[in-house]
Amino acid sequence: MAIAEEVARRSTCLRRQVGAILVVDRRILASGYNGAPSNVPHCEDVGCLREKMKVPSGERHELCRGLHAEQNAMIQAAKHGVRIEGATLYTTHHPCSMCAKMAINAAVGRIVCREDYPDDLGKRLLAESGVALDVFRPATA
């Protein structure tokens, strides 16, 4: 999870920094953070469309310049021909419904998240699909 948190620091989102990594057998296959597509201005440069439109968190995901961290991790794997079937997706936030659907169809085997996200449909879809979901709880000293 510490690596996903480090990846999140690269985020260009003004609302929430999210990082994700795909792992198989303790080997990182791909990583992603939330931000605009390649060669498109980032929100930190042009402002947040969702803020301007007063879109609440967890709603209307399509009204955003950026891609989610989980999406970017899966896209990077596909772009480079890396098979992610059965992988564990470590993400700093619970996947939204769009990312949950992508992870289900990509045959991600398990998702580990640290923080919640206000999208109950994502939670229901993961439960219905049988994708294992674990909430990361750091060990206390």
Side-chain angles (χ1 to χ4, degrees):
M1 187 58 71
I3 295 170
E5 291 169 355
E6 185 63 31
V7 171
R9 288 183 172 83
R10 299 199 63 200
S11 170
T12 59
C13 179
L14 300 174
R15 282 183 145 188
R16 180 187 322 257
Q17 293 190 313
V18 181
I21 58 172
L22 287 158
V23 176
V24 169
D25 295 330
R26 301 177 58 89
R27 187 176 69 111
I28 298 171
L29 304 176
S31 64
Y33 55 90
N34 55 329
S38 299
N39 302 315
V40 173
H42 290 269
C43 297
E44 66 184 8
D45 299 321
V46 297
C48 177
L49 178 64
R50 293 174 62 81
E51 287 294 323
K52 290 175 187 172
M53 297 178 74
K54 300 187 184 342
V55 178
S57 184
E59 297 179 16
R60 303 292 312 269
H61 303 292
E62 77 280 8
L63 297 175
C64 181
R65 299 182 67 77
L67 292 155
H68 290 184
E70 302 92 334
Q71 292 170 329
N72 271 327
M74 289 184 264
I75 290 166
Q76 286 303 310
K79 181 178 177 179
H80 297 289
V82 177
R83 183 181 177 132
I84 62 171
E85 183 176 2
T88 297
L89 173 66
Y90 290 89
T91 180
T92 57
H93 293 72
H94 191 289
C96 72
S97 56
M98 290 187 332
C99 292
K101 290 184 282 188
M102 289 178 68
I104 292 164
N105 272 5
V108 167
R110 176 177 173 233
I111 296 174
V112 179
C113 64
R114 186 192 68 205
E115 292 186 31
D116 197 18
Y117 185 74
D119 185 341
D120 291 336
L121 179 56
K123 294 171 179 69
R124 287 195 312 269
L125 291 168
L126 291 172
E128 290 171 10
S129 74
V131 173
L133 175 68
D134 297 309
V135 177
F136 177 76
R137 301 283 183 233
T140 56

